[in-house]
Each structure stands twice: as C-alpha cells, then as structure tokens.
Amino acid sequence: MELTPPGPRGIPPLFARLVDDSALFPPGDAAMPEALRAHFASRESEHAGVLGVFLCQASRLPELITELIKIKPKQPLPFSLIIDTGLGGVPKAISIVESRSELLALRMVEMPAPSDVDEVWLERVSEFVPEDVIRVVEPRRGVGWLDGVRKVIEHGSWPKIRCGGQAGENFPSVDEVADFLAVVSGSTGASFKATNSLHRAVRHADPDTGFVHHGFLNLLVASARSLSGGDVRGALESTDAEALADEARALSEQAAKAVRALFASYAAASFEQPVADMGELGLL
C-alpha cells in the first residue's frame, strides 16, 4: 500500500487545506471575535495544514475588518467572500476588501445562482470578480440543476454542492451527489466545493434530527472512484469508516492530488471535529 507523502506541516496531500472555516454560519453562528480567535488559534495548531480559508458574508465585512484591526494579524487573512447582498453588491464588497489588503487576502468569492443559471448572469460574475480570485457558484437543486452545474463550469467557475442544512430537503440524495460528481469529473480541469452538514468523516444519522448526513471522507473516496471508474454510489452510501480510511490511505500521491484538484474544499462550522475524526481513523 502506497502512502501519500506529507503535505503542509506533515499533512497528507489528500487532506491539505481541505476544511474551510464557516464558524460564522449555522449551525455554529459564532460571534466575530470568537470565530477569529479560534481561526487564528487553528492556524497555529499541529494540524494547521488541514485548514483552508475563513468564510465571511459580504454584509459583515465592516465587522470583520474592525476585529482584524484589533487583532493586528502578522499576515493578511486568507478568506472567501460569501455574497449575501445580491450580485449587484459584489463590486462594492470587493472594493472594500482591496482597500484593506494589509488585513485581507481574498482567495474566493461564493454566491448562490438564480433559479435559472443564465449566460448573462454568469458573464457578470466573471466581470465583477478579479481574475486571480476563484469564483464559486451554487446552482439550486431541482429541475435542470445539472445543466446549471455544466454552465457554471463552462464559464470558468467552481460549482458548489450543498450537502445538508436545517431541513430535510437541504440534504441531497446519494444519486444526486453521484450525478453531480459525474458531471464535474467528466469536465476537463473542473473543481467543486461542498458546503453544509459535512460535520463528520463518515456518513451517519444525526441522533437529534434523524437526518442522514453525508461524510467528507465518503465524498473524497467517491471523488477518487469517479475519476477511476469505480463504484461512486457505493462510496457515498458506505458507513464502514475503516474501509473508507483504508481506501483513502491507499491512494498514490498522484491520485490524491487528482482527487483534490476535483474536490477542492468544503466548509465546516467546526475545525476540531473533522480533525478529530481524521485522527481517530489514523489519517493524520
């Protein structure tokens, strides 16, 4: 069995910069000072190499900047701007960010797509977001959803898949996730981002809500299988943590990098939980 070599600070490439920090969003809903304190502590931790960018809503940019001025970070904060003010608010938000380059390093801009993902709207996204910033667009699941995913990819953006939420309809089925992976992995050079409810490594039922949550390790293994012609649905449905971990560990360095070129990152309200799960499975 070939093990992947160390990534940043000893992190295997399959997990490097995998987990973006969405502490400001449900179910965490952390206050800005606490969210930033925890984020910077994670950046100094043993598993800092697993941590991706900090997510912040456009509507909370002034609050973010105020807190960063107090913190005085040594380096600008790598972050993703979540557009909650409509597409028309993007230029102003980006202008604010660019005026505070000593505090903020804009890595990506994420936004929901309208119900009809049309060409004109996608062109405006491309015009508003600087070329060196990743554009992430979330088409709504429903009729024509996969056509929207294809259009997003064709316009050079990453599609985003929402894997859960606070209501049952927010959780896509195994078939829907598999179909999404088929579209993205079948598009040359395409990457995607996942969000919501990927709290744990492995698929499980939440004892409080009864909702069945997808696991981020399931999604990684399913991505690997989608690239190699394997059983994608089987990987998404599996609750066998050890088998999934063994399959992940067995990926060559080249295969692990190909998986992460496809499945770029996912947003998690807690950084500690995914790291703990990876540690328990011997993946870190």
Side-chain angles (χ1 to χ4, degrees):
M1 182 171 66
E2 184 176 355
L3 296 177
T4 52
R9 298 182 69 174
I11 303 301
L14 191 63
F15 306 109
R17 312 294 179 210
L18 175 67
V19 184
D20 289 340
D21 185 344
S22 63
L24 296 178
F25 297 78
D29 292 317
M32 187 69 74
E34 286 72 28
L36 285 171
R37 272 199 294 272
H39 183 82
F40 283 112
S42 296
R43 287 204 168 275
E44 297 299 321
S45 70
E46 178 186 0
H47 299 114
V50 176
L51 184 62
V53 295
F54 183 80
L55 275 54
C56 181
Q57 303 94 326
S59 62
R60 298 184 70 176
L61 266 178
E63 190 184 353
L64 174 63
I65 290 167
T66 297
E67 291 303 321
L68 286 173
I69 289 170
K70 296 175 186 175
I71 292 170
K72 299 185 176 72
K74 297 173 186 175
Q75 301 290 334
L77 173 70
F79 91 112
S80 179
L81 182 64
I82 311 299
I83 302 302
D84 61 346
T85 53
L87 184 59
V90 173
K92 180 181 179 182
I94 289 178
S95 176
I96 292 170
V97 172
E98 290 177 340
S99 73
R100 308 299 296 202
S101 59
E102 78 284 5
L103 297 174
L104 295 167
L106 184 61
R107 296 287 185 258
M108 60 180 67
V109 174
E110 306 180 44
M111 66 193 81
S115 53
D116 177 23
V117 188
D118 64 49
E119 309 286 334
V120 174
W121 186 87
L122 286 166
E123 287 295 340
R124 290 185 71 200
V125 172
S126 300
E127 290 168 10
F128 289 165
V129 180
E131 287 185 7
D132 61 345
V133 175
I134 296 164
R135 304 183 300 273
V136 182
V137 174
E138 180 189 343
R140 297 180 190 175
R141 276 188 301 113
V143 178
W145 172 58
L146 295 176
D147 287 336
V149 171
R150 291 184 186 94
K151 288 179 185 177
V152 169
I153 294 169
E154 287 165 4
H155 277 75
S157 297
W158 292 2
K160 178 162 69 174
I161 182 167
R162 185 169 297 272
C163 291
Q166 295 176 301
E169 59 266 24
N170 297 136
F171 290 80
S173 68
V174 163
D175 284 344
E176 286 174 316
V177 178
D179 290 344
F180 174 87
L181 286 175
V183 169
V184 185
S185 63
S187 304
T188 304
S191 302
F192 75 90
K193 181 169 183 177
T195 190
N196 278 60
S197 300
L198 290 164
H199 307 310
R200 306 297 302 267
V202 178
R203 182 176 178 83
H204 66 283
D206 186 299
D208 296 325
T209 65
F211 297 147
V212 177
H213 289 245
H214 295 281
F216 67 83
L217 185 57
N218 295 80
L219 198 51
L220 284 167
V221 172
S223 296
R225 292 188 187 182
S226 72
L227 292 170
S228 63
D231 179 8
V232 173
R233 283 170 175 77
L236 292 170
E237 290 172 340
S238 176
T239 56
D240 189 334
E242 293 300 331
L244 289 167
D246 287 344
E247 188 168 343
R249 269 192 296 269
L251 293 172
S252 67
E253 177 184 6
Q254 183 180 5
K257 288 181 176 178
V259 169
R260 290 301 310 287
L262 176 66
F263 177 16
S265 66
Y266 80 94
S270 163
F271 181 64
E272 291 76 16
Q273 185 65 70
V275 166
D277 278 10
M278 286 185 242
E280 288 173 12
L281 291 169
L283 295 169
L284 293 179

